């Protein structure tokens, strides 16, 4: 920890000692691995003069960078005051009390928004190693300034689950939102969905078609959920794998003596992802409500999304960065600890699927990139040493996403810089109805901003990342395009490879219902009803006719 708290101000010494004791008690621990990067923690409003001073600046001028939005880019200055973007134009003049950052030759973009994370999630008999502090700190170091996490109900109760996650999120050091999972169905769940949307600021609900015996729901529940989502203007989301068939596949692998991590991928092949994706899409079409397919991991599933979108159905396909840049070869590594770190669901696929997903992303078939950041350390992964079914599912990505998407998609020429902003920030903000508060460099938008140097390089390693995990599925990867500055809520939190985050400074961002995906649905419903040509008035329905028979 000492290497992460190198603050060279004498008047901070006593404060640091106090903070070390407090953090140990609260388990706000930085990674155990050594790092050359400073990692300064501060309690909200408690920093003494000279300590973590970068957190206190409220006026910032970013000069001379190329400002990039999803629809436009221009060379301009950006002036920030009190957490908001005030002006975006060339040659802004400011007073001496403003912090000035020279962004000449660099890109100034909206901070990333990760639509798919699992922080402090209880799963498979353990809990993810990153909580709302360590996970968010890692995100900020990687240029992500907001994420939307999945609330898991407590014994099926949405309200109890929501309250539990509100408590977990008190550690937050950046802005966040919530999705809500639905794991059972009754009138209480239906009424709680109303409360989540109308009072709590949650506009999306996730249905797991996998994880039989725990999170999985059946088609009857899915249909009820889809109808309720439509009536509330909330977006239905699905984890699309056929859970019954996966359960059968797992039994088959065990019977064949395949108990290692490779059995995980072999037990749930792409065809099972495609089947569930197609089924969920068709049921959403039957109800006529938008559908968001999380972590599209295979060409097979992607083609189902493509087919639906081509027909005009409102389906969003979300690949995650692990599916874009990795293949399944790691699952066959002879070292269990190496192989197990790649276990996630749906699985990382064979060579070729990543390239197919990249192409779909570049063509607009898939709309945005998440991470499914769900980290477990080596000790937790070892729970399944002799049975892959017991390996906690999940990989990292919240810190790496922005860099890997740039290197894989922009530096390679597959997408433009404006496309990059759309895929990593703006489209997420639009889908979850928080644009342009988030996802834009515009006057009035929140000052969540990154400065990316396209000529600078990055290297990913578990020795220097900010997750609490002792492994990294992107270990050793080097690429072009580095986030050199992150501004969150108008504060500089990442600069000169130094991370300075403020405990409890993050805010919950409500996501209102009825995003653009719902526009015109009433008209298509009316068109459908008028096309039925029913009910038919039949002569034998006439009472006088029946009385004559």
């Amino acid at each position: 920890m000492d290497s992460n708290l190198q603050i060279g101000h004498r008047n901070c010494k006593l404060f640091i000692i106090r903070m070390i004791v407090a953090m140990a008690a609260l388990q706000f621990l930085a990674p155990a691995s050594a790092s050359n990067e400073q990692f300064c923690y501060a309690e909200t409003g408690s920093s003494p003069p000279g300590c973590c001073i970068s957190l206190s600046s409220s006026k910032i001028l970013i000069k001379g960078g190329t400002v990039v939005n999803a629809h436009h880019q221009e060379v301009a200055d950006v002036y920030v005051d009190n957490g908001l973007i005030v002006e975006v134009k060339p040659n802004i003049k400011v007073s001496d009390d403003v912090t000035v950052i020279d962004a000449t030759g660099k890109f100034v973009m909206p901070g990333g928004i990760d639509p798919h994370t699992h922080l402090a999630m209880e799963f498979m008999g353990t809990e993810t190693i990153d909580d709302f502090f360590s996970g968010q700190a890692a995100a900020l170091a990687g240029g992500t300034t907001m994420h939307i996490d999945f609330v898991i109900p407590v014994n099926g109760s949405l309200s109890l689950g929501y309250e539990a996650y509100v408590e977990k999120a008190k550690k937050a050091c950046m802005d966040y939102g919530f999705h809500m999972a639905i794991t059972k169905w009754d009138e209480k769940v239906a009424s709680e969905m109303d409360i989540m949307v109308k009072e709590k600021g949650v506009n999306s609900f996730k249905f797991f078609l996998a994880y039989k015996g725990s999170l999985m729901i059946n088609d009857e529940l899915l249909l009820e959920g889809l109808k309720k989502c439509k009536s509330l203007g909330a977006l239905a989301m699905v984890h699309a794998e056929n859970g019954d068939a996966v359960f059968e596949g797992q039994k088959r692998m065990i019977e064949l003596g395949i108990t290692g991590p490779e059995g995980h991928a072999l037990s749930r092949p792409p065809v099972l992802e495609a089947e569930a994706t197609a089924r969920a899409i068709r049921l959403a079409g039957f109800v006529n409500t938008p559908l968001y397919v999380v972590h599209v991991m295979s060409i097979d599933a992607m083609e189902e999304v493509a087919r639906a979108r081509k027909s005009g159905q409102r389906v969003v396909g979300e690949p995650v960065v692990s599916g874009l840049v990795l293949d399944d070869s790691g699952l066959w590594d002879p070292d269990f600890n190496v192989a197990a770190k790649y276990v996630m669901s749906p699985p990382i696929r064979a060579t070729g699927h990543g390239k197919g997903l990249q192409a779909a992303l570049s063509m607009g078939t898939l709309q945005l990139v998440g991470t499914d950041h769900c980290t477990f350390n080596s000790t937790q992964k070892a729970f399944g040493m002799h049975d892959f079914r017991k390996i906690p599912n999940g990989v990292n990505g919240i810190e790496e996403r922005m860099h890997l998407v740039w290197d894989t998609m922009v530096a390679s020429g597959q997408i433009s810089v404006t496309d990059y902003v759309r895929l990593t920030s703006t489209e997420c903000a639009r889908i979850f109805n928080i644009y342009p508060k988030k996802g834009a460099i515009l006057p009035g938008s929140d000052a969540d901003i990154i400065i990316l140097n396209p000529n600078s390089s990055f290297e990913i390693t578990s020795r220097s990342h900010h997750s609490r995990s002792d492994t990294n599925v992107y270990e050793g990867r080097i690429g072009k395009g580095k986030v050199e500055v992150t501004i969150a809520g108008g504060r500089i939190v990442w600069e000169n490879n130094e991370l300075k985050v403020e405990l409890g400074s993050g805010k919950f961002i409500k996501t209102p219902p009825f995003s653009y995906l719902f526009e015109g649905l009433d008209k298509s419903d009316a068109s459908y009803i008028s096309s039925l040509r029913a009910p038919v008035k039949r002569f034998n329905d006439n009472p006088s006719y029946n009385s004559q028979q």
Side-chain angles (χ1 to χ4, degrees), residues 21 41 51 71 86 116 127 165 230 284 334 358 375 383 422 441 454 497 514 528-529:
V21 173
Y41 301 82
C51 184
H71 60 285
V86 178
H116 189 155
E127 184 173 310
Y165 272 74
K230 181 180 181 179
Q358 290 174 30
T375 50
F383 293 167
R422 175 175 55 82
I441 305 291
N497 288 335
F514 293 104
Y528 164 73
I529 292 171

Side-chain angles (χ1 to χ4, degrees), residues 123-124 209-214 216 239 241-269 272 343-347 386-393:
F123 185 53
M124 297 184 72
L209 307 186
Y211 302 123
K212 185 173 182 175
S214 58
M216 177 179 161
H239 173 139
E241 290 182 286
N242 186 310
D244 290 319
V246 167
F247 185 73
E248 177 62 29
Q250 290 174 328
K251 289 194 297 181
R252 181 186 300 171
M253 292 304 113
I254 296 298
E255 289 168 359
L256 291 171
I258 301 171
T259 60
E262 70 278 9
H264 176 75
L266 294 171
S267 69
R268 49 209 312 150
L272 303 188
V343 170
M344 65 173 291
S345 295
H386 304 294
D387 186 344
F388 67 83
R389 295 172 297 181
K390 298 178 181 178
I391 301 172
N393 290 196

Side-chain angles (χ1 to χ4, degrees), residues 89-286:
K89 65 181 184 180
N91 303 315
I92 296 175
K93 306 299 181 184
V94 293
S95 57
D96 293 338
D97 63 339
V98 175
T99 299
V100 178
I101 302 174
D102 184 1
T104 304
K106 303 172 186 179
F107 292 109
V108 180
M109 299 182 284
I113 307 175
D114 189 339
H116 189 155
T117 62
H118 299 281
L119 302 182
M121 177 189 181
E122 296 172 17
F123 185 53
M124 297 184 72
T126 187
E127 184 173 310
T128 54
I129 199 70
D130 280 325
D131 61 15
F132 275 80
F133 184 68
S134 67
Q136 290 186 352
L140 291 169
T144 288
T145 54
M146 180 181 169
H147 70 111
I148 311 180
D149 207 81
F150 286 91
V151 172
I152 306 301
V154 174
N155 297 323
S157 169
L158 309 192
S159 297
L160 291 179
Y162 177 84
E163 290 168 7
Y165 272 74
V166 167
E167 187 65 28
K168 292 177 182 184
K170 286 182 178 179
K171 301 176 182 179
C173 57
M174 76 179 196
D175 291 354
Y176 61 95
F178 286 148
H179 309 293
M180 177 69 70
I182 303 292
T183 56
K184 73 171 191 176
W185 190 261
D186 54 30
E187 287 305 312
K188 183 178 179 182
V189 170
S191 65
E192 285 184 319
M193 287 178 71
D194 281 273
I195 294 170
M196 291 301 123
V197 173
K198 297 174 182 177
E199 299 178 20
K200 303 302 184 182
V202 176
N203 74 355
S204 46
F205 296 90
K206 182 179 181 181
F207 302 87
F208 289 88
L209 307 186
Y211 302 123
K212 185 173 182 175
S214 58
L215 300 173
M216 177 179 161
I217 55 93
N218 59 27
D219 287 354
E220 180 183 5
L221 191 157
L222 178 59
L223 278 166
E224 292 294 336
L226 290 170
K227 291 189 294 182
K228 187 65 175 180
C229 283
K230 181 180 181 179
S231 70
L232 292 171
L235 182 58
M237 312 174 80
V238 287
H239 173 139
E241 290 182 286
N242 186 310
D244 290 319
V246 167
F247 185 73
E248 177 62 29
Q250 290 174 328
K251 289 194 297 181
R252 181 186 300 171
M253 292 304 113
I254 296 298
E255 289 168 359
L256 291 171
I258 301 171
T259 60
E262 70 278 9
H264 176 75
L266 294 171
S267 69
R268 49 209 312 150
V271 65
L272 303 188
E273 184 187 357
E275 185 280 331
T277 303
R279 176 162 40 101
I281 286 173
R282 283 160 175 75
L283 292 178
F286 176 66

Side-chain angles (χ1 to χ4, degrees), residues 55-61 78-87 97-99 175 437-438 443-449 487-492 505 507:
L55 296 176
S56 63
S57 177
S58 63
K59 297 181 180 180
I60 303 169
L61 179 66
V78 179
Y79 178 53
V80 170
D81 187 11
N82 197 29
L84 296 176
I85 296 170
V86 178
E87 285 186 289
D97 63 339
V98 175
T99 299
D175 291 354
K437 176 182 176 65
K438 303 289 186 182
S445 297
D446 285 356
D448 296 338
I449 303 168
I487 298 169
R491 300 187 319 272
I492 301 169
S505 61
K507 303 187 301 296

Side-chain angles (χ1 to χ4, degrees), residues 319-357:
V320 290
V321 68
S322 54
L324 291 173
V325 307
L326 299 175
D327 62 48
D328 68 348
S329 58
L331 290 164
W332 272 260
D333 194 286
D335 184 332
F336 172 86
N337 287 330
V338 173
K341 73 179 181 180
Y342 294 101
V343 170
M344 65 173 291
S345 295
I348 297 166
R349 302 299 186 185
T351 300
H353 285 274
K355 288 290 186 183
L357 296 176

